[in-house]
Amino acid sequence: MKPARRPSNPLFSSGPCAKRPGWSLDALDGALLGRSHRSKPGKAKLKEVIDLTRAVLAIPGDYRIGIVPGSDTGAVEMALWNLLGERGVDMMAWESFGKEWVTDVTKQLRLSDVRTIQAPYGELPDLSQADFRRDVVFTWNGTTSGVRVPNGDWIPADREGLSICDATSAAFAMDIPWSKIDVATWSWQKVLGGEGAHGMLVLSPRAVARLESFQPDRPLPKIFRLTSGGKLIEGIFVGDTINTPSMLCVEDAIDGLRWSLSVGGLTQLIRRSEQNLRIVSEWVAASAWAGFLGDDPATRSCTSICLRFTDPEVTALTPEAQADFAKKLAALLEKEEAAFDAGSYRDAPPGLRLWGGATVENEDMEAVLPWLDWAFATVKAETFGR
Ligand SMILES: Cc1ncc(COP(=O)(O)O)c(C=O)c1O
């Protein structure tokens, strides 16, 4: 039976993610449009993003927070290009984005001392393999496999190298222990449902010390440069952006951060997201056809919730036929306006992926699950001619 009720908000994309509950274009009324971002009020808006970010995430006062170009990719690459090469680096990767950073380091930067520690989709590599005498690059939450690191316990407090973390689908939904992190990056269009455009770059005092003591032997385009004359460009971390930001996106980022505070701050953002995972977990436990892509509950993501097929007839299909099945499933959910963008990532094993970040209401997560069952039964009946 087709379910009677649709999610009030059927947007389950893993980026750009659903806007916060109650969002409308009115939220952008105060945007400083047609004015210079270097004007006094322009800089104040950018500084507000930085200050609210520090307040919501409890980022230590001696860490720098900057707004940089190029979304999360821009922020990660800025870190890799500026910081790596002073010592060897361990690259941890278990899904598509982590693997992209491996490609950057091995094929573009072509660093000589690189160890790659990888795991297939659904698994986490052995974190104890990371050698923190070296720099270590990792993704807190693998958005395309739905596998996250369980905590920061594997990162020593007295590390010699830098811990460099792509935290884009983790920040604001997972607890990040700042003392274990030297570099963190994310973009606005994820957990707080902001707009894609800019990246956030957080640097620990040790990361700043590296920037000021190590000059990489490679050209750095202006868009990546964090130092001038061997000194950190402090302005970047108080709202003097390297180039022109979108003040509309900035206003929206402020709206998302203010909303975070209005619902109770980080604790509540995490609770909302973990509850979405709990709702899906209970449904999976009773499902005859769906399982998590990640087997270990301790490393399952509460934001990018990735599902695979467990139905014996579907798993017996060829990989191509399974991918086709998954596409039909996502298309049917979309046609019914029950769930948009719920297909798994293009390089990931076939299945579904539901975003469970803080802007997704728990009731909507509850409401979408009967639709998954109905759509699965419908596509299965079509596929097997019954
Ligand atoms: C873990 C991770 N890293 C990097 C990116 C790329 O982010 P952006 O499009 O903001 O550059 C994404 C996007 O989904 C991601 O999930």
PDB file of all heavy atoms in Angstrom, residues 14 70-74 95 97 101 139 141-143 166 168-169 187 189-190, ligand 1:
ATOM      1  N   SER A  14      22.495  14.927   0.245  1.00  0.00           N
ATOM      2  CA  SER A  14      23.673  15.033   1.122  1.00  0.00           C
ATOM      3  C   SER A  14      24.522  16.256   0.770  1.00  0.00           C
ATOM      4  O   SER A  14      25.690  16.327   1.118  1.00  0.00           O
ATOM      5  CB  SER A  14      24.494  13.756   1.041  1.00  0.00           C
ATOM      6  OG  SER A  14      23.783  12.700   1.637  1.00  0.00           O
ATOM      7  N   GLY A  70      36.104  28.496  -2.638  1.00  0.00           N
ATOM      8  CA  GLY A  70      36.134  27.143  -3.194  1.00  0.00           C
ATOM      9  C   GLY A  70      35.486  26.078  -2.336  1.00  0.00           C
ATOM     10  O   GLY A  70      35.812  24.896  -2.461  1.00  0.00           O
ATOM     11  N   SER A  71      34.567  26.486  -1.457  1.00  0.00           N
ATOM     12  CA  SER A  71      33.816  25.506  -0.671  1.00  0.00           C
ATOM     13  C   SER A  71      34.755  24.605   0.125  1.00  0.00           C
ATOM     14  O   SER A  71      35.893  24.999   0.414  1.00  0.00           O
ATOM     15  CB  SER A  71      32.907  24.712  -1.630  1.00  0.00           C
ATOM     16  OG  SER A  71      31.801  24.150  -0.980  1.00  0.00           O
ATOM     17  N   ASP A  72      34.326  23.420   0.488  1.00  0.00           N
ATOM     18  CA  ASP A  72      35.198  22.554   1.292  1.00  0.00           C
ATOM     19  C   ASP A  72      36.436  22.151   0.510  1.00  0.00           C
ATOM     20  O   ASP A  72      37.539  22.095   1.056  1.00  0.00           O
ATOM     21  CB  ASP A  72      34.427  21.319   1.754  1.00  0.00           C
ATOM     22  CG  ASP A  72      35.300  20.410   2.589  1.00  0.00           C
ATOM     23  OD1 ASP A  72      35.736  20.852   3.668  1.00  0.00           O
ATOM     24  OD2 ASP A  72      35.582  19.277   2.158  1.00  0.00           O
ATOM     25  N   THR A  73      36.271  21.868  -0.777  1.00  0.00           N
ATOM     26  CA  THR A  73      37.413  21.459  -1.599  1.00  0.00           C
ATOM     27  C   THR A  73      38.489  22.541  -1.559  1.00  0.00           C
ATOM     28  O   THR A  73      39.687  22.243  -1.407  1.00  0.00           O
ATOM     29  CB  THR A  73      36.963  21.211  -3.058  1.00  0.00           C
ATOM     30  OG1 THR A  73      35.856  20.317  -3.041  1.00  0.00           O
ATOM     31  CG2 THR A  73      38.077  20.634  -3.902  1.00  0.00           C
ATOM     32  N   GLY A  74      38.075  23.795  -1.680  1.00  0.00           N
ATOM     33  CA  GLY A  74      39.028  24.903  -1.625  1.00  0.00           C
ATOM     34  C   GLY A  74      39.777  24.914  -0.306  1.00  0.00           C
ATOM     35  O   GLY A  74      41.003  25.061  -0.263  1.00  0.00           O
ATOM     36  N   GLU A  95      36.530   6.266   1.236  1.00  0.00           N
ATOM     37  CA  GLU A  95      35.451   6.521   0.268  1.00  0.00           C
ATOM     38  C   GLU A  95      35.931   7.610  -0.677  1.00  0.00           C
ATOM     39  O   GLU A  95      37.066   8.076  -0.589  1.00  0.00           O
ATOM     40  CB  GLU A  95      34.123   6.857   0.958  1.00  0.00           C
ATOM     41  CG  GLU A  95      34.162   7.923   2.010  1.00  0.00           C
ATOM     42  CD  GLU A  95      34.201   9.330   1.472  1.00  0.00           C
ATOM     43  OE1 GLU A  95      33.202   9.752   0.868  1.00  0.00           O
ATOM     44  OE2 GLU A  95      35.235  10.023   1.693  1.00  0.00           O
ATOM     45  N   PHE A  97      35.698  10.897  -1.299  1.00  0.00           N
ATOM     46  CA  PHE A  97      36.351  12.188  -1.037  1.00  0.00           C
ATOM     47  C   PHE A  97      37.753  12.004  -0.471  1.00  0.00           C
ATOM     48  O   PHE A  97      38.696  12.669  -0.909  1.00  0.00           O
ATOM     49  CB  PHE A  97      35.482  13.065  -0.135  1.00  0.00           C
ATOM     50  CG  PHE A  97      34.293  13.598  -0.891  1.00  0.00           C
ATOM     51  CD1 PHE A  97      33.024  13.086  -0.669  1.00  0.00           C
ATOM     52  CD2 PHE A  97      34.457  14.572  -1.856  1.00  0.00           C
ATOM     53  CE1 PHE A  97      31.936  13.557  -1.385  1.00  0.00           C
ATOM     54  CE2 PHE A  97      33.372  15.052  -2.589  1.00  0.00           C
ATOM     55  CZ  PHE A  97      32.100  14.543  -2.346  1.00  0.00           C
ATOM     56  N   TRP A 101      41.609  13.220  -2.016  1.00  0.00           N
ATOM     57  CA  TRP A 101      42.753  13.896  -1.369  1.00  0.00           C
ATOM     58  C   TRP A 101      44.026  13.070  -1.574  1.00  0.00           C
ATOM     59  O   TRP A 101      45.114  13.627  -1.683  1.00  0.00           O
ATOM     60  CB  TRP A 101      42.481  14.154   0.112  1.00  0.00           C
ATOM     61  CG  TRP A 101      41.159  14.820   0.413  1.00  0.00           C
ATOM     62  CD1 TRP A 101      40.340  14.566   1.487  1.00  0.00           C
ATOM     63  CD2 TRP A 101      40.480  15.841  -0.348  1.00  0.00           C
ATOM     64  NE1 TRP A 101      39.217  15.355   1.423  1.00  0.00           N
ATOM     65  CE2 TRP A 101      39.264  16.143   0.313  1.00  0.00           C
ATOM     66  CE3 TRP A 101      40.759  16.528  -1.534  1.00  0.00           C
ATOM     67  CZ2 TRP A 101      38.352  17.106  -0.166  1.00  0.00           C
ATOM     68  CZ3 TRP A 101      39.846  17.471  -2.006  1.00  0.00           C
ATOM     69  CH2 TRP A 101      38.674  17.746  -1.336  1.00  0.00           C
ATOM     70  N   THR A 139      39.212  12.131   6.684  1.00  0.00           N
ATOM     71  CA  THR A 139      37.872  12.706   6.599  1.00  0.00           C
ATOM     72  C   THR A 139      37.130  12.273   7.858  1.00  0.00           C
ATOM     73  O   THR A 139      37.146  11.082   8.183  1.00  0.00           O
ATOM     74  CB  THR A 139      37.171  12.119   5.348  1.00  0.00           C
ATOM     75  OG1 THR A 139      37.998  12.405   4.218  1.00  0.00           O
ATOM     76  CG2 THR A 139      35.809  12.714   5.125  1.00  0.00           C
ATOM     77  N   ASN A 141      33.885  12.307   8.474  1.00  0.00           N
ATOM     78  CA  ASN A 141      32.731  11.500   8.048  1.00  0.00           C
ATOM     79  C   ASN A 141      32.804  11.283   6.537  1.00  0.00           C
ATOM     80  O   ASN A 141      32.775  12.254   5.774  1.00  0.00           O
ATOM     81  CB  ASN A 141      31.432  12.243   8.381  1.00  0.00           C
ATOM     82  CG  ASN A 141      30.200  11.467   7.934  1.00  0.00           C
ATOM     83  OD1 ASN A 141      29.827  10.470   8.545  1.00  0.00           O
ATOM     84  ND2 ASN A 141      29.573  11.890   6.842  1.00  0.00           N
ATOM     85  N   GLY A 142      32.884  10.027   6.140  1.00  0.00           N
ATOM     86  CA  GLY A 142      32.909   9.708   4.710  1.00  0.00           C
ATOM     87  C   GLY A 142      31.489   9.826   4.152  1.00  0.00           C
ATOM     88  O   GLY A 142      30.671   8.939   4.334  1.00  0.00           O
ATOM     89  N   THR A 143      31.236  10.922   3.479  1.00  0.00           N
ATOM     90  CA  THR A 143      29.869  11.218   3.054  1.00  0.00           C
ATOM     91  C   THR A 143      29.314  10.174   2.090  1.00  0.00           C
ATOM     92  O   THR A 143      28.116   9.925   2.061  1.00  0.00           O
ATOM     93  CB  THR A 143      29.825  12.611   2.371  1.00  0.00           C
ATOM     94  OG1 THR A 143      30.638  13.503   3.116  1.00  0.00           O
ATOM     95  CG2 THR A 143      28.414  13.153   2.291  1.00  0.00           C
ATOM     96  N   ASP A 166      39.175  16.772   7.003  1.00  0.00           N
ATOM     97  CA  ASP A 166      38.039  17.228   6.193  1.00  0.00           C
ATOM     98  C   ASP A 166      36.783  16.872   7.003  1.00  0.00           C
ATOM     99  O   ASP A 166      36.429  15.715   7.139  1.00  0.00           O
ATOM    100  CB  ASP A 166      38.070  16.500   4.844  1.00  0.00           C
ATOM    101  CG  ASP A 166      36.823  16.749   4.003  1.00  0.00           C
ATOM    102  OD1 ASP A 166      35.921  17.475   4.450  1.00  0.00           O
ATOM    103  OD2 ASP A 166      36.762  16.190   2.884  1.00  0.00           O
ATOM    104  N   THR A 168      33.609  18.081   6.536  1.00  0.00           N
ATOM    105  CA  THR A 168      32.469  18.782   5.946  1.00  0.00           C
ATOM    106  C   THR A 168      31.106  18.191   6.255  1.00  0.00           C
ATOM    107  O   THR A 168      30.158  18.941   6.385  1.00  0.00           O
ATOM    108  CB  THR A 168      32.663  19.047   4.436  1.00  0.00           C
ATOM    109  OG1 THR A 168      31.841  20.152   4.087  1.00  0.00           O
ATOM    110  CG2 THR A 168      32.316  17.889   3.569  1.00  0.00           C
ATOM    111  N   SER A 169      30.948  16.890   6.361  1.00  0.00           N
ATOM    112  CA  SER A 169      29.596  16.434   6.755  1.00  0.00           C
ATOM    113  C   SER A 169      29.559  16.017   8.210  1.00  0.00           C
ATOM    114  O   SER A 169      28.656  15.313   8.633  1.00  0.00           O
ATOM    115  CB  SER A 169      29.052  15.304   5.883  1.00  0.00           C
ATOM    116  OG  SER A 169      29.860  14.892   4.917  1.00  0.00           O
ATOM    117  N   SER A 187      32.121  23.124   4.551  1.00  0.00           N
ATOM    118  CA  SER A 187      31.431  24.096   3.710  1.00  0.00           C
ATOM    119  C   SER A 187      30.068  24.370   4.328  1.00  0.00           C
ATOM    120  O   SER A 187      29.616  23.647   5.208  1.00  0.00           O
ATOM    121  CB  SER A 187      31.298  23.551   2.294  1.00  0.00           C
ATOM    122  OG  SER A 187      30.735  22.261   2.346  1.00  0.00           O
ATOM    123  N   GLN A 189      26.992  24.326   3.026  1.00  0.00           N
ATOM    124  CA  GLN A 189      25.735  23.724   2.519  1.00  0.00           C
ATOM    125  C   GLN A 189      25.430  22.349   3.109  1.00  0.00           C
ATOM    126  O   GLN A 189      24.653  21.604   2.558  1.00  0.00           O
ATOM    127  CB  GLN A 189      25.782  23.635   0.987  1.00  0.00           C
ATOM    128  CG  GLN A 189      26.751  22.609   0.408  1.00  0.00           C
ATOM    129  CD  GLN A 189      28.152  23.151   0.242  1.00  0.00           C
ATOM    130  OE1 GLN A 189      28.500  24.161   0.830  1.00  0.00           O
ATOM    131  NE2 GLN A 189      28.974  22.470  -0.541  1.00  0.00           N
ATOM    132  N   LYS A 190      26.070  22.014   4.227  1.00  0.00           N
ATOM    133  CA  LYS A 190      25.873  20.672   4.788  1.00  0.00           C
ATOM    134  C   LYS A 190      24.946  20.707   6.006  1.00  0.00           C
ATOM    135  O   LYS A 190      23.761  20.910   5.855  1.00  0.00           O
ATOM    136  CB  LYS A 190      27.231  20.081   5.141  1.00  0.00           C
ATOM    137  CG  LYS A 190      28.087  19.806   3.913  1.00  0.00           C
ATOM    138  CD  LYS A 190      27.667  18.548   3.239  1.00  0.00           C
ATOM    139  CE  LYS A 190      28.578  18.238   2.067  1.00  0.00           C
ATOM    140  NZ  LYS A 190      28.338  16.926   1.549  1.00  0.00           N
TER     141      LYS A 190
HETATM  142  C1  LIG B   1      33.690  14.567   2.860  1.00  0.00           C
HETATM  143  C2  LIG B   1      33.566  15.577   1.753  1.00  0.00           C
HETATM  144  N1  LIG B   1      34.652  16.224   1.331  1.00  0.00           N
HETATM  145  C3  LIG B   1      34.575  17.132   0.354  1.00  0.00           C
HETATM  146  C4  LIG B   1      33.389  17.434  -0.286  1.00  0.00           C
HETATM  147  C5  LIG B   1      33.358  18.447  -1.364  1.00  0.00           C
HETATM  148  O1  LIG B   1      32.752  19.568  -0.844  1.00  0.00           O
HETATM  149  P1  LIG B   1      32.505  20.912  -1.625  1.00  0.00           P
HETATM  150  O2  LIG B   1      31.561  20.604  -2.737  1.00  0.00           O
HETATM  151  O3  LIG B   1      31.946  21.798  -0.575  1.00  0.00           O
HETATM  152  O4  LIG B   1      33.817  21.370  -2.146  1.00  0.00           O
HETATM  153  C6  LIG B   1      32.232  16.782   0.122  1.00  0.00           C
HETATM  154  C7  LIG B   1      30.955  17.056  -0.546  1.00  0.00           C
HETATM  155  O5  LIG B   1      29.970  16.383  -0.376  1.00  0.00           O
HETATM  156  C8  LIG B   1      32.326  15.842   1.158  1.00  0.00           C
HETATM  157  O6  LIG B   1      31.223  15.214   1.579  1.00  0.00           O
END
